[in-house]
Amino acid sequence: MAGTVTVPSASVPSTPLLKDELDIVIPTIRNLDFLEMWRPFFQPYHLIIVQDGDPTKTIRVPEGFDYELYNRNDINRILGPKASCISFKDSACRCFGYMVSKKKYVFTIDDDCFVAKDPSGKDINALEQHIKNLLSPSTPFFFNTLYDPYREGADFVRGYPFSLREGAKTAVSHGLWLNIPDYDAPTQMVKPRERNSRYVDAVMTVPKGTLFPMCGMNLAFDRDLIGPAMYFGLMGDGQPIGRYDDMWAGWCMKVICDHLSLGVKTGLPYIWHSKASNPFVNLKKEYKGIFWQEDIIPFFQNATIPKECDTVQKCYLSLAEQVKEKLGKIDPYFVKLADAMVTWIEAWDELNPSTAAVENGKAK
């Protein structure tokens, strides 16, 4: 059952950024002891916990956090037949949290992601950096060789067009990981001991027309600008593929951001990814995707959205139609996925009626 617990704490800063405008979404199958180390940074914010797997299992949340917890029974009760679009036994279920959130911003993190340290040994406040990324413009139309020109100590370099220096609204902030890298199963197998220890102090905008493999374990976005596009697809139980949920969302999101002239940033902040998943289990989940992505990526590279699609919902439904028509020829799964994409938008609009009638972003 969904519930709320709030306990004030004097040790938490009194004015955290966007305290009343941001939800933290966490998918999990276990007790959330990892929140203890995040307490100084997360406690002022509202948490939405999406419990995957057995709904009768009790998930323990440390005291002092303000949270709602939804299990599969809650999802079925709230969405009814449309609950079929929410994955089961896969972290893709997190997108249900995006749907029920009522805040402008969302930050999502996995329960095996711990607080990282910067090169000076100081704990990294990942959430604060994501907020800074989202609140400053992006530069998708022209690459700045000093990366993010809006960061302190940086600016636009010589030759950067003055007409583009206003930038674009930032829809997504994609963070990175120290320790366990986000590798696919074949790479895990050939590099089982590889760890990422490189801290690169940079934030950059992913250029317009360029796709990237989005990872959902350390991610923030402007829900008002791009929320309906952040659907993590059909993965896990009963599906022929897994571990492509966040990347599927990223490809859909990026095509729509490009169409609506919105920006996507990647780089800082880092989190500490604590454990590697089993590469043999991962290979079972990924193997079809490894073949399919050779068709999926060219599909998104060549996808065009009609100019009359001036909201995220319209853009997403256009993509769903193209997925069914073009990727459906590869495997019947994509027909099912395209139908789920439509169901997702219908469910989103039912739970968010104010955004259904209002344009989320506008094409220029």
Side-chain angles (χ1 to χ4, degrees):
M1 288 293 292
T4 301
V5 180
T6 310
V7 179
S9 172
S11 64
V12 173
S14 56
T15 55
L17 291 169
L18 302 179
K19 175 183 179 296
D20 299 317
E21 299 179 70
L22 183 143
D23 279 333
I24 300 174
V25 174
I26 305 169
T28 194
I29 58 171
R30 58 181 62 87
N31 293 334
L32 294 180
D33 299 327
F34 92 114
L35 285 173
E36 288 293 355
M37 72 175 63
W38 286 104
R39 186 181 292 276
F41 307 129
F42 288 2
Q43 189 164 336
Y45 296 90
H46 181 67
L47 311 181
I48 297 177
I49 300 162
V50 184
Q51 178 180 341
D52 197 16
D54 182 2
T56 65
K57 180 180 177 181
T58 299
I59 299 292
R60 193 186 74 82
V61 181
E63 291 186 7
F65 287 93
D66 172 27
Y67 69 91
E68 302 166 66
L69 189 152
Y70 297 93
N71 60 34
R72 192 69 201 189
N73 292 338
D74 297 315
I75 295 172
N76 292 337
R77 172 177 52 82
I78 292 168
L79 295 184
K82 292 184 174 64
S84 61
C85 73
I86 304 298
S87 298
F88 184 56
K89 295 186 178 177
D90 192 280
S91 64
C93 68
R94 79 178 76 220
C95 61
F96 176 77
Y98 309 162
M99 184 185 284
V100 297
S101 171
K102 301 304 176 189
K103 304 291 178 62
K104 177 173 171 56
Y105 300 98
V106 166
F107 168 57
T108 186
I109 186 170
D110 285 4
D111 60 15
D112 62 349
C113 293
F114 300 164
V115 178
K117 294 185 182 295
D118 68 17
S120 72
K122 181 182 177 183
D123 285 351
I124 297 169
N125 185 345
L127 181 52
E128 181 180 58
Q129 180 64 52
H130 275 300
I131 291 170
K132 289 179 179 179
N133 292 348
L134 290 170
L135 293 182
S136 62
S138 294
T139 54
F141 311 117
F142 200 90
F143 188 79
N144 191 56
T145 51
L146 273 183
Y147 308 121
D148 189 344
Y150 306 103
R151 288 186 72 195
E152 187 177 350
D155 211 322
F156 294 97
V157 298
R158 181 170 54 90
Y160 200 101
F162 282 86
S163 59
L164 295 177
R165 294 190 182 194
E166 184 180 340
K169 292 179 181 178
T170 301
V172 175
S173 171
H174 178 255
L176 300 174
W177 349 266
L178 294 172
N179 196 35
I180 305 295
D182 188 28
Y183 286 161
D184 54 38
T187 308
Q188 279 185 291
M189 289 176 177
V190 298
K191 295 183 171 182
R193 297 179 181 175
E194 184 155 293
R195 300 293 181 265
N196 180 34
S197 59
R198 291 184 301 161
Y199 180 96
V200 180
D201 186 12
V203 178
M204 64 187 75
T205 298
V206 182
K208 182 176 182 179
T210 300
L211 298 174
F212 74 107
M214 186 175 81
C215 173
M217 74 173 84
N218 175 23
L219 180 71
F221 60 92
D222 186 322
R223 189 175 174 277
D224 287 353
L225 284 179
I226 200 63
M230 299 298 282
Y231 174 48
F232 277 42
L234 279 180
M235 304 281 154
D237 192 51
Q239 310 304 331
I241 186 175
R243 286 173 54 84
Y244 273 80
D245 52 330
D246 42 8
M247 294 184 291
W248 179 264
W251 296 325
C252 292
M253 171 276 296
K254 187 58 169 61
V255 170
I256 293 172
C257 281
D258 287 352
H259 176 75
L260 296 176
S261 297
L262 299 171
V264 178
K265 291 182 179 179
T266 187
L268 300 180
Y270 284 93
I271 51 85
W272 181 269
H273 188 203
S274 65
K275 69 176 187 193
S277 48
N278 187 309
F280 298 98
V281 173
N282 289 346
L283 186 60
K284 287 182 180 180
K285 296 177 180 179
E286 291 175 1
Y287 79 96
K288 287 194 174 182
I290 291 170
F291 290 103
W292 287 346
Q293 72 185 17
E294 301 305 317
D295 293 300
I296 294 171
I297 292 171
F299 162 77
F300 282 109
Q301 287 173 327
N302 294 299
T304 56
I305 297 174
K307 185 159 186 169
E308 58 266 25
C309 293
D310 56 3
T311 69
V312 175
Q313 283 95 327
K314 290 177 184 176
C315 293
Y316 201 76
L317 291 174
S318 173
L319 269 182
E321 187 178 334
Q322 295 177 56
V323 167
K324 178 176 280 191
E325 177 190 348
K326 296 180 179 177
L327 294 182
K329 297 173 183 176
I330 298 172
D331 192 274
Y333 165 73
F334 291 100
V335 175
K336 185 178 181 182
L337 176 56
D339 289 340
M341 292 168 71
V342 174
T343 302
W344 160 265
I345 293 296
E346 292 171 351
W348 181 282
D349 287 347
E350 283 183 14
L351 292 185
N352 301 276
S354 60
T355 63
V358 178
E359 295 177 354
N360 296 72
K362 287 193 174 182
K364 291 184 178 178

